C-alpha cells in the first residue's frame, strides 16, 4: 500500500482541504498539528511526502527539515503559505524542499506539484539505492569506488544548487574526468529565456571559430530529443579549460567516436542536454550506463530547482511599469556578468540611456502620457537588443543595457539601432504625437581609444560610473547646442 502524505498545519481546514483534493485521486492523507508532527516524523520513511504550512514559522519548518535529514528520509517536502520572501524560500529550497505554493494557488497547483515531487523522490530513491549497492559491494573494482565517490560529491555540490553559473567547475571538482575518459563534455540548458552552453575539453582549448559549429551540432541533437528548435546564434557559451596545450576544432571532435547524449528532464519535456564525446569506443559500457543515467538525474533535479528559483526571483525583480528588470535585479546581474567577464577574459559593455526633456512630456501631456512613453520606449529597447542582453529600468526615465561579450564598436552599432527604432516609432497620446529622443553613455571593459589595455582593474561600480559620466557629457553637449541654436 502507498505511504500516506503527511499534512502539518495548525489549521484543521488545511487538513480538510488537502484531504478533499487528494483522497479522490487515490492518495492517503494524514493530518497532524505541529506538536504531534514531531512524533510522526521520527518514524523513518513512514510518508511519501510531507506538506507543511510555512506560516507556522521558519523555526518549525527548519526543525521539520532537520528531522527528515537526521533520519535520512526520502520523503518529498512541499511548503505552502502566504506570498513568500524570495530570499527565505531560496534558503529552504537549498536545504531540500521540493517546492513552495502560495495558499491561494493550492487547488490549481497541488496535483502537478505533488506529482513532480513524487517523481523527484523516485529519482532520489533510485540514486540512494544505487549508492547503497555500490557501498555494500566489498569486491567492487576501483572504478566503481571512484564512481560512487563522484556521485556522492556531485550530489552534495549540485543537487540543490540554485546558481548554475558555476555548474561546470562543480561537476569537474566532483571528479567527472576521474570516472569517464572524455575528449569533450558539453552541457546545454535554459535559465529563464536564455539558452546556455558550457563546454570542457581536458587539457585543450576550443578554437573560437569552432564554438558556432558545436552550438549548431548541439542544437540539432537537442531538436531530435525534444522537437524544440533553438537558434545557435542565441545560445550563450563558455568553456572551462584546465590547460592550453592544444586547440580543438570540429575535425578533432569528428575523429572521435559518436557522443553519448542524455536528456535532462524531470517530466516529459527535456530542460537541457548532456553531450559526452569519448576518447575511445570502449568508454561507455553496460557497466557504467547506470552511472551516466544517475549523472543526468542529478543534473536534471538541480536544473529543475534552479529554473523554479529563477522564475520566483524574476517575479520579484521586474519593473511593474515597463516589464524590464528593476534596479535591484540589475545590480545583481551586472555583478554576476562582470565577474564572468573577468573570469573568461571577455569584454562587457554597459549603455545608459536617458530620455531627453522627459519632464516636458509629463508637464505637457500628464504623467499617464509619460508612463505610456516609458512603456513604449522599453519596447523599442527590447526589440533592438539580443536575447542575451539585459535591459533594465535604472530609475525614472533612465535605462541600462548590459551587453555581455560585446566591445565598444558593437555597442555603438546597437545604440544606432535603438535610435532608428525610436525615430521610426510613433509615440501618440490622445491624438498628439510626442517627440521622444534619448541620450546615451557607453562604458566598456574592452579595448578602445581611451582604454588601450582591456579588462583593467575595475569593478561594476566603475563601469556604471563611466557610463553615467559619458551620458552626462552627451546631455550637456546637447543642451549647449540647443542654447546656441
Amino acid at each position: 500500500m502507498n505511504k500516506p502524505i503527511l499534512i502539518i498545519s495548525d489549521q484543521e481546514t488545511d487538513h480538510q482541504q488537502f484531504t478533499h483534493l487528494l483522497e479522490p485521486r487515490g492518495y492517503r492523507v494524514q493530518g497532524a498539528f505541529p506538536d504531534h508532527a514531531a512524533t510522526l516524523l521520527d518514524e523513518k520513511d513512514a510518508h511519501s511526502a510531507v506538506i507543511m504550512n510555512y506560516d507556522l514559522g521558519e523555526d518549525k519548518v527548519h526543525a521539520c527539515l532537520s528531522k527528515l535529514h537526521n533520519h535520512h528520509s526520502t520523503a518529498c517536502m512541499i511548503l505552502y503559505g502566504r506570498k513568500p520572501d524570495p530570499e527565505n524560500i531560496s534558503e529552504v529550497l537549498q536545504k531540500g524542499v521540493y517546492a513552495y505554493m502560495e495558499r491561494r494557488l493550492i487547488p490549481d497547483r497541488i496535483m502537478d506539484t505533488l506529482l513532480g515531487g513524487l517523481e523527484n523522490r523516485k529519482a532520489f530513491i533510485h540514486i540512494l539505492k544505487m549508492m547503497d549497492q555500490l557501498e555494500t559491494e566489498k569486491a567492487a573494482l576501483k572504478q566503481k569506488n571512484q564512481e560512487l565517490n563522484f556521485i556522492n560529491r556531485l550530489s552534495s555540490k549540485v543537487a540543490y544548487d540554485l546558481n548554475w553559473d558555476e555548474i561546470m567547475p562543480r561537476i569537474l571538482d566532483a571528479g567527472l574526468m576521474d570516472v569517464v575518459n572524455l575528449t569533450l563534455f558539453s552541457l546545454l540548458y535554459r535559465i529563464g529565456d536564455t539558452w546556455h552552453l558550457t563546454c570542457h575539453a581536458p587539457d585543450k582549448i576550443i578554437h573560437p571559430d569552432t564554438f558556432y559549429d558545436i552550438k549548431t551540432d548541439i542544437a540539432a541533437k537537442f531538436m531530435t530529443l525534444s522537437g524544440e528548435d533553438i537558434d545557435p546564434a542565441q545560445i550563450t557559451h563558455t568553456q572551462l579549460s584546465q590547460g592550453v596545450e592544444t586547440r580543438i576544432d570540429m575535425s578533432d571532435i569528428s575523429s572521435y567516436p559518436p557522443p553519448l547524449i542524455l536528456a535532462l528532464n524531470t517530466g516529459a519535456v527535456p530542460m537541457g542536454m548532456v553531450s559526452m564525446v569519448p576518447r575511445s569506443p570502449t568508454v561507455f559500457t553496460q557497466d557504467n550506463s547506470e552511472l551516466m543515467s544517475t549523472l543526468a538525474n542529478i543534473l536534471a533535479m538541480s536544473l529543475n530547482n534552479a529554473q523554479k528559483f529563477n522564475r520566483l526571483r524574476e517575479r520579484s525583480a521586474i519593473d511593474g511599469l515597463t516589464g524590464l528588470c528593476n534596479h535591484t535585479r540589475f545590480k545583481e546581474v551586472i555583478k554576476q556578468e562582470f565577474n564572468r567577464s573577468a573570469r573568461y577574459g571577455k569584454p562587457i559593455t554597459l549603455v545608459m540611456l536617458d530620455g531627453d526633456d522627459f519632464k516636458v512630456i509629463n508637464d505637457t501631456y500628464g504623467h499617464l502620457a509619460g508612463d505610456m512613453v516609458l512603456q513604449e520606449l522599453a519596447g523599442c529597447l527590447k526589440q533592438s537588443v539580443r536575447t542575451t542582453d539585459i535591459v533594465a529600468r535604472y530609475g525614472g526615465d533612465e535605462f541600462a543595457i548590459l551587453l555581455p561579450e560585446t566591445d565598444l564598436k558593437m555597442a555603438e552599432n546597437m545604440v544606432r539601432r535603438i535610435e532608428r527604432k525610436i525615430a521610426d516609432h510613433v509615440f501618440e497620446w490622445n491624438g498628439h504625437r510626442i517627440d521622444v529622443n534619448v541620450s546615451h553613455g557607453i562604458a566598456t571593459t574592452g579595448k578602445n581609444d581611451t582604454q588601450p589595455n582591456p579588462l583593467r582593474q575595475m569593478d561594476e561600480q566603475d563601469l556604471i560610473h563611466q557610463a553615467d559620466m559619458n551620458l552626462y557629457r552627451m546631455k550637456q553637449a546637447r543642451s549647449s547646442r540647443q542654447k546656441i541654436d
Side-chain angles (χ1 to χ4, degrees):
M1 184 176 291
N2 292 333
K3 296 175 183 178
I5 296 169
L6 179 62
I7 311 298
I8 303 175
S9 178
D10 58 349
Q11 300 180 36
E12 179 63 33
T13 53
D14 287 356
H15 302 157
Q16 294 172 356
Q17 182 184 29
F18 284 107
T19 299
H20 174 74
L21 291 170
L22 299 179
E23 287 197 344
R25 304 294 184 95
Y27 296 96
R28 290 192 298 135
V29 177
Q30 182 179 9
F33 290 97
D35 292 338
H36 183 53
T39 303
L40 296 175
L41 292 173
D42 283 332
E43 300 174 23
K44 183 180 178 182
D45 286 339
H47 305 92
S48 59
V50 177
I51 302 177
M52 186 173 185
N53 183 357
Y54 185 76
D55 298 336
L56 291 170
E58 292 182 15
D59 290 343
K60 287 187 171 59
V61 171
H62 289 300
C64 177
L65 279 170
S66 296
K67 283 271 188 183
L68 294 174
H69 290 166
N70 291 340
H71 291 302
H72 303 287
S73 172
T74 59
C76 161
M77 187 166 185
I78 298 170
L79 298 177
Y80 68 95
R82 295 186 295 269
K83 188 172 183 179
D85 182 315
E87 293 184 1
N88 293 339
I89 294 304
S90 168
E91 180 181 352
V92 295
L93 286 174
Q94 291 178 5
K95 292 186 176 180
V97 171
Y98 172 72
Y100 183 96
M101 296 183 296
E102 290 186 39
R103 180 181 288 275
R104 63 186 179 84
L105 300 177
I106 287 175
D108 295 329
R109 299 280 179 84
I110 182 58
M111 285 310 303
D112 286 344
T113 302
L114 182 59
L115 287 172
L118 293 178
E119 284 298 318
N120 190 304
R121 173 178 178 264
K122 286 181 183 179
F124 183 64
I125 292 173
H126 175 73
I127 294 168
L128 291 179
K129 286 181 178 178
M130 192 204 75
M131 292 167 60
D132 290 341
Q133 178 184 353
L134 290 175
E135 208 160 354
T136 56
E137 289 177 354
K138 301 296 183 180
L141 299 174
K142 180 181 179 180
Q143 179 66 19
K144 286 295 182 182
N145 288 328
Q146 287 179 324
E147 290 176 3
L148 175 61
N149 290 333
F150 168 64
I151 291 300
N152 278 325
R153 290 194 296 269
L154 186 68
S155 296
S156 65
K157 287 177 179 292
V158 310
Y160 296 104
D161 188 6
L162 303 178
N163 177 17
W164 266 50
D165 288 345
E166 297 292 335
I167 193 66
M168 182 62 80
R170 291 188 175 96
I171 295 172
L172 297 177
D173 288 345
L176 173 66
M177 296 303 167
D178 295 331
V179 297
V180 58
N181 193 10
L182 302 177
T183 188
L184 179 65
F185 177 77
S186 303
L187 184 59
L188 176 72
Y189 62 94
R190 176 164 53 194
I191 298 292
D193 295 327
T194 304
W195 281 99
H196 303 266
L197 176 66
T198 180
C199 299
H200 174 65
D203 301 320
K204 292 180 174 64
I205 58 173
I206 301 171
H207 193 280
D209 295 340
T210 305
F211 252 116
Y212 188 81
D213 294 330
I214 294 176
K215 289 193 289 187
T216 301
D217 181 62
I218 288 287
K221 287 182 170 62
F222 187 74
M223 185 174 182
T224 301
L225 275 180
S226 66
E228 183 171 358
D229 188 12
I230 307 173
D231 181 0
Q234 301 303 315
I235 302 175
T236 66
H237 66 266
T238 57
Q239 69 168 312
L240 183 66
S241 298
Q242 295 176 329
V244 291
E245 296 179 3
T246 57
R247 289 179 176 266
I248 186 172
D249 57 30
M250 285 304 293
S251 62
D252 297 319
I253 297 171
S254 300
S255 67
Y256 288 97
L260 174 66
I261 303 296
L262 298 172
L264 300 182
N265 58 353
T266 57
V269 180
M271 303 173 293
M273 185 184 79
V274 170
S275 173
M276 291 179 277
V277 179
R279 290 189 183 274
S280 71
T282 60
V283 169
F284 298 120
T285 65
Q286 186 65 34
D287 290 340
N288 64 19
S289 62
E290 194 170 10
L291 170 70
M292 299 298 102
S293 176
T294 301
L295 164 67
N297 283 338
I298 293 173
L299 293 176
M301 286 191 294
S302 176
L303 178 56
N304 189 35
N305 289 334
Q307 288 180 339
K308 288 179 179 177
F309 174 68
N310 183 72
R311 288 194 292 270
L312 181 64
R313 184 175 61 180
E314 283 184 345
R315 285 198 293 269
S316 63
I318 299 299
D319 175 62
L321 178 64
T322 63
L324 302 176
C325 290
N326 60 23
H327 184 273
T328 301
R329 177 58 180 155
F330 172 75
K331 286 298 188 71
E332 295 173 357
V333 170
I334 192 173
K335 188 175 184 65
Q336 295 168 1
E337 292 296 333
F338 198 93
N339 290 339
R340 192 205 303 271
S341 167
R343 182 167 63 250
Y344 294 109
K346 302 290 185 180
I348 186 171
T349 300
L350 175 65
V351 179
M352 302 295 289
L353 293 103
D354 192 71
D356 293 340
D357 300 321
F358 193 76
K359 184 177 183 301
V360 175
I361 295 175
N362 282 330
D363 291 344
T364 304
Y365 302 103
H367 287 280
L368 290 178
D371 288 348
M372 178 275 295
V373 169
L374 289 176
Q375 289 172 332
E376 297 192 10
L377 191 56
C380 291
L381 299 182
K382 287 189 287 188
Q383 294 169 25
S384 303
V385 301
R386 306 166 299 184
T387 57
T388 53
D389 300 330
I390 298 96
V391 185
R393 184 183 180 191
Y394 197 73
D397 59 335
E398 189 172 10
F399 297 88
I401 306 176
L402 193 63
L403 308 170
E405 299 186 24
T406 302
D407 58 24
L408 182 62
K409 184 176 180 181
M410 295 167 64
E412 289 172 341
N413 290 335
M414 185 273 294
V415 170
R416 283 192 284 271
R417 287 200 307 272
I418 290 175
E419 290 175 338
R420 287 195 298 269
K421 188 71 175 178
I422 294 172
D424 293 340
H425 186 81
V426 177
F427 295 86
E428 191 172 48
W429 179 258
N430 290 338
H432 298 283
R433 182 162 181 166
I434 301 174
D435 291 329
V436 176
N437 296 289
V438 294
S439 297
H440 68 271
I442 306 177
T444 183
T445 63
K447 184 177 180 179
N448 59 74
D449 293 340
T450 61
Q451 188 174 287
N453 298 317
L455 298 172
R456 65 181 182 81
Q457 294 299 316
M458 63 187 302
D459 59 22
E460 65 274 11
Q461 295 301 322
D462 296 324
L463 197 67
I464 294 172
H465 177 71
Q466 286 186 12
D468 264 335
M469 291 302 297
N470 290 335
L471 170 63
Y472 175 76
R473 293 186 186 102
M474 174 175 277
K475 292 184 80 70
Q476 288 293 101
R478 286 185 171 179
S479 177
S480 298
R481 286 197 300 270
Q482 289 173 356
K483 289 178 181 179
I484 293 174
D485 293 341

